[in-house]
Amino acid sequence: ITLYLNGGLNHQLLVKNPGWMKINKEGKVYVNPEEDMNFFRSVCFNSEYREYLFEEIREVLEIDPDGLFFDCLIPRSCYCPRCIEKMRAEGIDINDDDAVSDYSVKVIEEIISQIRDIVPEDKRLFFNSFSNG
């Protein structure tokens, strides 16, 4: 059995934890402009959500699945205070859209690497929505 986890969208959790939401360049909760029919709050992976996701993974591993399917680990730029602080610490110009986009890819690659560290090697992993995964 392969278990499905939506790693990047968790509308109800973010309603309860608004500080974990991805923020767009204009300082508003991120909404995907290509999906104007739906609204889903997207998580900021530099928030406490990261550890929440890792704990969720540890919990489902107790079921001993054959693999895990991760959806919506999508690298989208985030301008929340944590991300801005981290980008500035790395010398990234937050006004450079390409640099911020590259940083968002780096964050997702980091998350995927950390997931691989948590999940035993004998488990299959599939990452949807991220071609570098």
Side-chain angles (χ1 to χ4, degrees), residues 49-63:
Y49 175 79
R50 185 185 295 217
E51 189 54 40
Y52 174 89
L53 176 63
F54 296 159
E55 284 303 316
E56 189 174 48
I57 293 167
R58 291 179 188 102
E59 183 178 333
V60 299
L61 284 172
E62 292 177 14
I63 299 169

Side-chain angles (χ1 to χ4, degrees), residues 8 22 31 44 46 50-51 61 65 74-75 95 99 102 132:
K22 190 172 294 258
V31 177
C44 170
N46 281 324
R50 185 185 295 217
E51 189 54 40
L61 284 172
I74 303 168
N95 296 307
D102 290 346
N132 293 354

Side-chain angles (χ1 to χ4, degrees), residues 58-91:
R58 291 179 188 102
E59 183 178 333
V60 299
L61 284 172
E62 292 177 14
I63 299 169
D64 196 27
D66 298 317
L68 298 170
F69 175 132
F70 291 91
D71 203 3
C72 297
L73 295 177
I74 303 168
R76 292 187 176 134
S77 300
C78 180
Y79 294 86
C80 76
R82 286 174 308 280
C83 287
I84 289 173
E85 180 181 337
K86 288 178 177 280
M87 286 186 281
R88 286 186 173 150
E90 292 188 27

